[in-house]
Amino acid sequence: MKKIVLLALHIAVCLPCSVSAQGDPPAPANRDSATYASYYYDQIELPAPEPPRPGFWRRVGNYFRDSNIDKTREKKIDVGFIGGPHYSDNVKFGLGLMASGFYRLDRTDLTTQPSNISVFGDITTSGFYLVGIRGYTFLDGGKYRIDYRTTFSSMPTDFWGIGYKMGRDDSNKTDFVRKQASVKVDFMYRFLPDFYGGINAGFDFIKGKDFDTDGISYLHGQHRKYTNNGYGLFLMYDSRDYITAPGRGWYVKAENVFFPGITGNSPHFNRTELTVDFYHPVWKGGTLAYDLHGVYNKGNVPWTQLALLGGQHRMRGYYEGRYRDKGLVELQAELRQWLWRRIGVAVWGGAGNVFDRVSDFKASRTLPNYGLGFRWEFKNKVNVRLDYGFGKGESGFIFSINEAF
């Protein structure tokens, strides 16, 4: 008991000395409590004030500034939005909006490019509207791939009839409204490095309405609407470094799609399609890209399934569908050059030809094509592009996402 009392007295005597030795100010003679309060208040670490929240336009600027950074390593899905006004000869002035998402099913695998999905919509002053989804999914390190796309649209369309001669005559121009719903899915398996084999299936419903008398006669007795379903096989070689904006490599795809009568196609027919693309760097920031594309439909083909020349990807500047027939072949070469940070330009030249049969192909009917474009990298390897293309007797703007090929 005596030892406990002595220990308590020792603590009582030494504790103030210990506290003072750690930095307390010497106690004043009058033990002014305000002095002690001021000292202890100064030792408190207050949290730093939060910076003021940036204004709306600064936040928008920051969003686009950082939009091309790959965030798929830390996010389940990296989503970005872009939209704005646009113009083309086909659909006139419009407003489009797109949401683009990138993701990795295995976020520890950084050697495989990320999967992507895009949801898009568009509406224009001509009465055109479109909604759709497109995407690539890479499975098991890219050993398996799924490529899917679906669209629903209504489009006031100019129509010149079928064949090169009909398209060349301006007086044949008429119009109708094309309503379309389509779905296509490709599934492929890599059986050798860069070599793939695959199957696909597709569905198309296309209806033409509001034809005038001339337009009806251009159909040559065919129906105004058709529902078609096709099933195909394909072989593909793909060594591209990036699907959405290739900088080097090859892409070769040979495909045959059957539209059998047993599944409700009337008439039945089949389509063979070949695509050969090659990309290679030529100097710092510069890439040369080449594209050869051919389509041939065999059988009694509905007018809704004919090959169409023109559009967003090939023969840019031609009204899509002005020239249409069973067969089509087109070739283009494009130089893509990055100028500063995320800004680039492109120039291209090409040619195309439509025909009813291979034996009817005539070099004299080859249509020229050339143009130039602007590029801005919205997301990592995803470019917004504005192209202006020139053709034989016509030209037009194209506003789209991703490279043309």
Side-chain angles (χ1 to χ4, degrees), residues 16 19-20 23-25 33-45:
V19 173
S20 178
D24 275 359
S33 61
T35 301
Y36 280 98
S38 175
Y39 171 78
Y40 286 113
Y41 179 80
D42 289 342
Q43 307 309 305
I44 299 174
E45 293 186 5

Side-chain angles (χ1 to χ4, degrees), residues 138-351:
F138 296 89
L139 305 169
D140 193 13
K143 187 175 183 179
Y144 302 93
R145 289 188 193 180
I146 301 174
D147 177 11
Y148 54 92
R149 49 216 177 268
T150 179
T151 59
F152 302 87
S153 65
S154 177
M155 180 178 178
T157 304
D158 291 336
F159 186 47
W160 283 260
I162 299 171
Y164 172 84
K165 288 185 177 180
M166 294 296 290
R168 282 300 301 147
D169 190 344
D170 289 335
S171 65
N172 290 332
K173 182 180 177 180
T174 182
D175 60 75
F176 70 98
V177 177
R178 184 183 72 190
K179 295 185 176 292
Q180 181 173 5
S182 65
V183 180
K184 187 178 181 184
V185 179
D186 290 1
F187 177 81
M188 60 202 83
Y189 166 74
R190 186 178 64 211
F191 58 90
L192 286 173
D194 298 328
F195 283 93
Y196 298 80
I199 58 175
N200 57 33
F203 167 86
D204 271 297
F205 169 79
I206 301 177
K207 176 182 179 181
K209 58 179 295 188
D210 299 336
F211 284 100
D212 62 18
T213 303
D214 287 338
I216 290 293
S217 68
Y218 295 162
L219 299 183
H220 304 295
Q222 294 191 44
H223 300 305
R224 300 187 191 187
K225 65 178 180 179
Y226 284 94
T227 300
N228 295 109
N229 52 87
Y231 309 91
L233 302 170
F234 63 89
L235 288 174
M236 186 176 79
Y237 176 80
D238 188 0
S239 63
R240 293 173 294 176
D241 54 350
Y242 221 94
I243 288 178
T244 52
R248 63 176 68 246
W250 286 86
Y251 173 77
V252 181
K253 183 179 181 182
E255 176 183 24
N256 197 86
V257 180
F258 303 90
F259 297 82
I262 195 172
T263 60
N265 293 283
S266 180
H268 61 88
F269 61 100
N270 74 280
R271 174 185 300 133
T272 302
E273 186 168 1
L274 174 67
T275 303
V276 180
D277 295 338
F278 175 56
Y279 312 85
H280 70 97
V282 288
W283 49 67
K284 184 177 180 180
T287 300
L288 264 176
Y290 306 90
D291 171 60
L292 170 66
H293 178 240
V295 178
Y296 186 68
N297 293 286
K298 185 177 180 180
N300 189 12
V301 186
W303 67 272
T304 56
Q305 295 296 324
L306 294 172
L308 307 181
L309 185 143
Q312 294 188 4
H313 304 285
R314 300 178 175 95
M315 301 298 287
R316 286 161 281 174
Y318 283 94
Y319 193 98
E320 184 178 20
R322 174 168 182 164
Y323 299 93
R324 65 177 74 203
D325 215 323
K326 286 185 178 180
L328 173 151
V329 62
E330 46 201 348
L331 174 69
Q332 60 182 328
E334 181 170 286
L335 174 63
R336 302 164 183 171
Q337 178 66 52
W338 289 105
L339 298 178
W340 180 70
R341 294 188 179 180
R342 296 158 66 181
I343 295 175
V345 294
V347 293
W348 78 86

Side-chain angles (χ1 to χ4, degrees), residues 12-62:
V13 171
C14 294
L15 183 59
C17 299
S18 174
V19 173
S20 178
Q22 293 177 12
D24 275 359
N30 59 1
R31 297 201 177 268
D32 183 359
S33 61
T35 301
Y36 280 98
S38 175
Y39 171 78
Y40 286 113
Y41 179 80
D42 289 342
Q43 307 309 305
I44 299 174
E45 293 186 5
L46 297 175
E50 293 186 4
R53 187 182 184 190
F56 173 77
W57 293 112
R58 176 59 63 84
R59 295 199 304 273
V60 171
N62 292 343

